[in-house]
């Protein structure tokens, strides 16, 4: 991932077969065919000389020329090597062909995939949104071709559930997608016929279009649920047609779609895979883990439940501290540690969340770069305002000057009943307090001990106990 502090493994001397979208050839100095994939099932076909040594910087000029992207917008997109197992945004100096030869080494290093899955995995070279491109600049783009590329990527992330969203998001987004595909001049009958031909899943996330109940509830409620979703989409489509007229400019609809996506805090994130501990359901029950996606962007870190499609934890950089640890023994995991403020029965505490992932090193380095870039951006903005820095900006500015971004009191989290907002109560975290002299871990006292059979029925309280083990090493 661009922005990590760890280097990719050196190129192996073994003669690996060429993989993915970069064509193989015995003579790489000659012109070779290369496919650069875009979101939306399309690709750019190029003929490239010196494929074995061409850099991302050099390849970018050819792709932007083929897609008619002006040089003033060259930073909007980046090259990615992507597969179902791993996604990496490449730096300008990277050479895609050589990284493809190292792909199996990268998978062994950064994924838990089996040897069989690794041997069958192939990356493709993609041209996608640059994670480090500010959303504020994206809002100023008027180029239709660039907006279309951004739209296709955002739409794909909405439909695959990578961007969790509420009905107030996916309903207007689905209607805008329909309007972009079919125009805004359809009447109710034409709308319904076209929607049923293309299916709801073309415009709504699958867990919305298909439902999440059991087989019987799905069979009973499928017709009524689909009718309800169709009606909601029709209502939103009518609003679009009324406000935009019968023939709005495509850029107008594209802007509306992207503006709605910008309300999702994790829009434009790079995503990493990991697992977290589930809260124990009983004293004797063995702890289990749940799969999560970790989204990281210039705004913060977001931990999302892969199955339930909602946010478990969302933190801006001035609300967290972080670190990562390596396995100490055989069978141990790489861990990304996220520290943030919380409370236990009204007592302010620090909470630690452990994310188990071989990509912990990548995530830690990526967070560090985002903090540095954000601090530099805010410093530049402050300089333009003649040094008038408000108190609300100072904590974010302090992040970049502290090791690992630590420092400054983090603001308390505000949560509500939405898939976008944190569910700290459902996380299995470590809680502790720092009294300035020592770190003390908070440990609940059982209302009725399993061993001593105490008869007390008082509410659960918490007491501070000395931690002898190093918290950051688990």
């Amino acid at each position: 991932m661009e922005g990590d502090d760890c280097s990719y493994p050196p190129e192996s001397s073994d003669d690996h077969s060429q993989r993915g979208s970069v064509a193989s050839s015995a003579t790489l100095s000659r012109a070779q065919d290369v496919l650069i994939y875009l979101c939306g099932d399309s690709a750019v076909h190029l003929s490239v000389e010196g494929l074995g040594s061409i850099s991302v910087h050099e390849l970018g000029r050819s792709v932007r020329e083929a897609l008619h992207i002006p040089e003033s917008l060259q930073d909007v997109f980046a090259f990615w090597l992507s597969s179902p197992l791993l996604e990496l945004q490449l730096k300008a100096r990277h050479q895609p062909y050589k990284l493809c030869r190292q792909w199996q080494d990268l998978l062994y290093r950064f994924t838990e995939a089996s040897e069989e899955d690794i041997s069958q995995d192939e990356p493709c070279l993609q041209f996608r949104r640059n994670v480090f491109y500010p959303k504020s600049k994206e809002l100023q783009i008027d180029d239709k071709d660039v907006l279309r590329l951004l739209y296709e990527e955002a739409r794909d992330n909405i439909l695959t559930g990578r961007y969790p969203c509420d009905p107030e998001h996916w309903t207007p987004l689905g209607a805008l997608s329909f309007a972009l595909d079919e125009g805004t001049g359809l009447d109710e009958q034409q709308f319904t016929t076209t929607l049923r031909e293309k299916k709801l899943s073309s415009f709504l996330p699958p867990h919305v279009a298909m439902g999440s109940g059991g087989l019987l509830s799905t069979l009973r409620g499928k017709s009524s649920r689909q009718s309800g979703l169709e009606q909601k989409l029709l209502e939103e489509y009518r609003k679009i047609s009324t406000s935009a007229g019968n023939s709005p400019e495509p850029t107008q609809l594209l802007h509306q779609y992207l503006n709605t996506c910008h309300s999702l805090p994790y829009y434009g994130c790079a995503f990493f895979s990991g697992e977290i501990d589930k809260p124990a359901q009983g004293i004797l029950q063995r702890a289990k883990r749940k799969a999560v996606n970790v989204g990281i962007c210039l705004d913060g870190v977001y931990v999302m439940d892969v199955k339930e499609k909602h946010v478990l934890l969302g933190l801006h950089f001035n609300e967290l501290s972080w670190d990562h640890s390596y396995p100490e023994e055989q069978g141990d995991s790489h861990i990304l540690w996220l520290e943030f403020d919380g409370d236990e029965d009204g007592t302010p505490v620090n909470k630690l969340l452990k994310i188990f992932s071989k990509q912990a090193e990548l995530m830690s380095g990526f967070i560090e770069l985002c903090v540095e870039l954000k601090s530099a951006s805010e410093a530049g903005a402050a300089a333009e305002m003649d040094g008038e820095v408000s108190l609300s900006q100072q904590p974010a500015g302090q992040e970049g000057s502290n090791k690992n971004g630590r420092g400054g009191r983090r603001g308390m989290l505000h949560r509500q009943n939405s898939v976008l907002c944190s569910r700290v109560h459902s996380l299995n975290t470590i809680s502790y307090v720092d009294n300035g002299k020592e770190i003390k871990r908070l440990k609940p006292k059982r209302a009725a001990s399993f061993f001593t059979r105490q008869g007390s029925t008082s509410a659960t309280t918490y007491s501070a106990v000395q931690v002898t083990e190093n918290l950051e090493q688990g």
Side-chain angles (χ1 to χ4, degrees):
M1 186 74 225
E2 182 173 1
D4 62 276
D5 288 338
C6 49
S7 59
Y8 296 142
E11 182 180 358
S12 173
S13 59
D14 295 338
D15 187 19
H16 294 299
S17 61
Q18 177 51 37
R19 308 172 67 81
S21 60
V22 184
S24 60
S25 174
T27 311
L28 295 175
S29 59
R30 298 176 182 175
Q32 304 296 327
D33 290 336
V34 178
L35 285 178
I36 314 295
Y37 289 93
L38 310 173
C39 292
D41 298 326
S42 58
V44 177
H45 188 180
L46 297 177
S47 181
V48 177
E49 293 185 359
L51 178 62
S53 59
I54 192 169
S55 68
V56 163
H57 177 72
E58 296 167 319
L59 194 60
R61 288 197 295 265
S62 300
V63 173
R64 290 193 297 272
E65 181 179 346
L67 294 173
H68 309 292
I69 296 175
E71 286 300 306
S72 60
L73 298 175
Q74 62 177 324
D75 294 332
V76 177
F77 299 101
F79 286 92
W80 293 68
L81 277 181
S82 300
S83 81
L85 299 181
L86 185 64
E87 297 181 358
L88 297 173
Q89 179 174 317
L90 308 185
K91 298 180 180 180
R93 63 177 171 78
H94 281 143
Q95 297 174 335
Y97 176 79
K98 291 183 178 180
L99 284 177
C100 282
R101 289 169 59 96
Q102 302 173 47
W103 191 247
Q104 289 191 4
D105 296 327
L106 292 169
L107 294 180
Y108 277 116
R109 180 176 178 182
F110 295 122
T111 76
E112 301 284 356
S114 66
E115 186 171 347
E116 180 180 359
D117 288 340
I118 289 176
S119 65
Q120 296 177 358
D121 190 66
E122 294 189 0
C124 65
L125 189 59
Q126 289 186 315
F127 193 66
R128 288 166 39 187
R129 189 186 187 280
N130 178 5
V131 174
F132 304 112
Y133 193 77
K135 288 189 283 188
S136 58
K137 287 188 176 181
E138 184 177 306
L139 292 171
Q140 302 170 17
I141 296 174
D142 289 320
D143 186 281
K144 184 176 70 173
D145 294 328
V146 173
L147 289 173
R148 173 64 70 166
L149 290 172
L150 292 170
Y151 157 75
E152 292 288 355
E153 182 172 347
R155 181 174 181 267
D156 183 66
N157 285 326
I158 291 291
L159 294 182
T160 58
R162 174 168 273 190
Y163 290 168
C165 51
D166 292 315
E168 57 263 34
H169 297 112
W170 49 252
T171 305
L173 289 175
L176 283 166
S177 285
F178 187 94
L180 282 162
D181 289 352
E182 306 298 331
T184 57
L186 277 60
D187 59 27
E188 181 176 346
Q189 183 60 44
Q190 291 171 325
F191 175 90
T192 302
T193 301
T194 304
L195 181 61
R196 290 177 178 175
E197 287 176 354
K198 291 200 165 185
K199 297 183 179 180
L200 281 170
S201 57
S202 299
F203 304 101
L204 298 175
H207 67 281
V208 175
M210 303 302 295
S212 56
L215 177 60
L216 292 178
S217 62
T218 299
L219 292 176
R220 288 196 206 102
K222 182 177 180 180
S223 178
S224 60
R225 184 178 64 252
Q226 288 192 341
S227 297
L229 292 172
E230 290 174 0
Q231 186 60 36
K232 290 178 181 178
L233 284 175
L234 176 59
E235 292 171 1
E236 289 293 334
Y237 178 77
R238 284 173 175 167
K239 292 179 184 177
I240 296 170
S241 301
T242 301
S243 61
N246 289 331
S247 56
E249 289 292 328
T251 53
Q252 182 180 349
L253 299 178
L254 292 171
H255 269 135
Q256 288 184 43
Y257 193 98
L258 292 172
N259 286 344
T260 303
C261 288
H262 280 202
S263 66
L264 305 174
Y266 30 78
Y267 172 79
C269 277
F271 288 90
F272 304 84
S273 60
E275 292 182 324
I276 61 173
D277 286 325
K278 290 183 177 180
Q281 300 298 315
I283 298 174
L284 301 180
Q285 183 175 354
R286 185 177 180 180
K288 297 181 180 179
R289 294 179 182 175
K290 70 166 62 179
V292 295
N293 283 331
V294 182
I296 305 173
C297 64
L298 292 175
D299 294 329
V301 181
Y302 303 91
V303 182
M304 288 166 268
D305 191 311
V306 171
K307 181 180 179 181
E308 300 298 333
K309 309 296 184 187
H310 60 219
V311 175
L312 295 169
L313 181 66
L315 298 168
H316 294 295
F317 291 125
N318 64 332
E319 296 175 318
L320 67 87
S321 297
W322 84 97
D323 207 342
H324 79 278
S325 57
Y326 297 95
E328 291 187 342
E329 299 178 358
Q330 187 83 17
D332 287 352
S333 301
H334 296 258
I335 298 175
L336 177 72
W337 299 82
L338 296 181
E339 180 191 50
F340 56 97
D341 287 348
D343 68 84
E344 297 287 356
D345 290 344
T347 302
V349 299
N350 293 40
K351 285 183 173 290
L352 279 174
L353 176 66
K354 295 193 294 184
I355 301 176
F356 305 92
S357 173
K358 270 195 169 183
Q359 298 173 18
E361 184 181 5
L362 288 175
M363 289 187 269
S364 179
F366 193 68
I367 292 172
E368 186 164 358
L369 181 67
C370 285
V371 169
E372 292 174 358
L373 291 175
K374 188 172 180 65
S375 297
S377 175
E378 290 174 348
E384 291 178 1
M385 298 174 63
D386 298 325
E388 294 180 3
V389 182
S390 67
L391 291 176
S392 63
Q393 290 174 314
Q394 289 176 2
Q398 293 171 357
E399 289 175 327
S401 62
N402 290 275
K403 184 179 179 181
N404 284 344
R406 296 172 184 265
R409 187 64 178 171
R410 298 174 297 278
M412 294 299 292
L413 303 179
H414 298 281
R415 294 176 288 279
Q416 60 184 8
N417 187 22
S418 165
V419 299
L420 276 66
C421 298
S422 299
R423 289 161 171 77
V424 178
H425 62 278
S426 67
L427 297 175
N428 187 2
T429 58
I430 300 170
S431 297
Y432 71 94
V433 295
D434 186 352
N435 61 11
K437 297 180 180 180
E438 58 187 359
I439 293 177
K440 293 185 176 182
R441 184 168 176 176
L442 296 183
K443 184 177 181 180
K445 291 181 178 178
R446 294 190 182 90
S449 171
F450 179 79
F451 299 103
T452 61
R453 307 290 293 176
Q454 294 175 350
S456 173
T457 57
S458 60
T460 301
T461 58
Y462 287 80
S463 61
V465 295
Q466 179 99 29
V467 180
T468 58
E469 74 272 20
N470 185 339
L471 283 175
E472 293 197 357
Q473 296 300 323

